[in-house]
Amino acid sequence: VTYTLIALNIIIYVWDRLGSINGSGIIFSDLAMRPTEIIAVIQGRGEPASLTSLFTMLFLHANLMHLVGNLLFLLTFGGRVEEVLGAPRYALYYIFWGIVASAAHILFLPTSSVPTLGASGAIGGVLGAYFLLFPGNRIQFIIFPLVFIPFSIVAWVMLGFWFVFQILVPQEGVANWAHAGGFAAGMLTVLILGGRAKLLKDYRLERLTDQEFDD
């Protein structure tokens, strides 16, 4: 599922730009989510079809750096979360996390008519789930172009800092509350499903059963 999501995002990004990797979206520009339109629907004044933008926005990106940044996070953290949750459930939760992230953005910016798009809210859910499932894992990365030597940091430190940063350091043009909302939704999902210990235990038992069956 993680690789499929990455492929879909890349295909739609290029398709939206008629085969180019630069410039603004052309074909799907009207499928971005606008908080004012969602609020209008909730109040009975808007077009119900606008609600589909809560889904379509998850596969649109503003520019190449936006796309690459999101997909790097998804590639780094998505696979392990998918393994634990299982592919079908992971796919559904990914969409759910994205919608919750959009809801958080709308809650804090209900009067905004600025188009909102990107997979980062759903990926925030992936990060939140990873934060609780694998807090002690070490993540290796580089800060390009500042630091070229790879170094590692414990997952809970990196992701915890990322979450706090979204709340305390709002950035212009960035849906920080969507990121934070998705992250919180990912953590809540793990807790509702029984927590880290139960999910990892079930995952290991399932792998053991599959191995015995293969033998």
Side-chain angles (χ1 to χ4, degrees):
V1 171
T2 296
Y3 290 125
T4 299
L5 289 170
I6 290 173
L8 281 174
N9 276 282
I10 293 173
I11 291 170
I12 292 172
Y13 177 87
V14 176
W15 185 6
D16 197 21
R17 287 156 180 78
L18 300 176
S20 174
I21 62 172
N22 296 308
S24 301
I26 300 172
I27 297 178
F28 305 122
S29 59
D30 60 331
L31 298 181
M33 188 274 293
R34 294 169 174 80
T36 51
E37 293 181 355
I38 304 302
I39 292 296
V41 174
I42 294 174
Q43 295 176 343
R45 300 181 290 103
E47 175 58 51
S50 298
L51 294 177
T52 60
S53 66
L54 294 169
F55 172 79
T56 57
M57 64 158 288
L58 300 178
F59 297 91
L60 304 176
H61 290 84
N63 52 54
L64 184 60
M65 289 303 297
H66 187 202
L67 174 71
V68 171
N70 277 344
L71 297 190
L72 279 175
F73 271 86
L74 182 57
L75 179 63
T76 301
F77 298 99
R80 296 299 302 275
V81 176
E82 179 181 350
E83 286 182 357
V84 174
L85 295 182
R89 189 162 61 173
Y90 171 77
L92 292 174
Y93 279 129
Y94 180 89
I95 301 301
F96 169 72
W97 295 331
I99 292 175
V100 171
S102 296
H105 179 71
I106 294 169
L107 178 65
F108 284 94
L109 295 169
T111 60
S112 173
S113 59
V114 177
T116 306
L117 68 169
S120 51
I123 296 171
V126 175
L127 302 185
Y130 193 101
F131 178 76
L132 290 188
L133 290 172
F134 306 107
N137 280 15
R138 300 194 70 86
I139 310 301
Q140 189 175 61
F141 62 100
I142 62 174
I143 303 177
F144 181 82
L146 302 177
V147 180
F148 293 92
I149 301 175
F151 63 97
S152 64
I153 188 171
V154 179
W156 73 265
V157 174
M158 176 184 175
L159 297 179
F161 174 80
W162 181 89
F163 178 60
V164 172
F165 184 84
Q166 303 306 313
I167 297 175
L168 299 182
V169 188
Q171 303 155 286
E172 186 176 356
V174 177
N176 292 87
W177 286 111
H179 299 171
F183 192 94
M187 290 194 296
L188 185 61
T189 299
V190 171
L191 295 176
I192 290 176
L193 293 177
R196 174 177 183 269
K198 181 180 187 305
L199 286 173
L200 293 183
K201 178 182 177 181
D202 292 344
Y203 168 61
R204 293 186 180 111
L205 286 175
E206 181 180 346
R207 292 192 66 184
L208 178 61
T209 302
D210 290 343
Q211 183 62 44
E212 290 175 345
F213 180 79
D214 291 339
D215 291 343

